[in-house]
Amino acid sequence: MPDRCTYDYAIVRVVPRVERGEFVNVGAIVSSDAKGYLAARFAVDEARLLALDPHVDLNAVRTALTAMTAVCTGGAAAGALGRLSLRERFHWLVAPRSTIIQTSAVHTGRCDDLGGALDHLLDRMVRPL
């Protein structure tokens, strides 16, 4: 039987017009200190974003999400943030912001497959039904 572990996660949202507070879930971040795991995955529905704001800068959204993936991976590609510990990088990623890219509150789960948990979050919280 695989080792079950706890993990923390947050849903990544794009808020095209911050003053309106409307958002589209576009991804998830999962972190497990016990397993040394930090990963983000995205499934951006550009049509849904454009429905909220036809002028949303999709290139800026893509760039920001790519940067989040780099921070998860760590190392030189993530700049100074890449040198932080896994836990510090997770906390930086989920810190409250008033920008176009935001995250939900942090929640906790338990699983035996962190990659599977991340896929489940995308299916349940991000991808349209």
Side-chain angles (χ1 to χ4, degrees), residues 38 67 70-90 92:
L38 177 60
V71 171
C72 287
T73 303
L81 293 172
R83 292 189 299 272
L84 298 175
S85 72
L86 184 136
R87 195 71 184 153
E88 290 170 319
R89 292 193 320 264
F90 177 72
W92 185 87

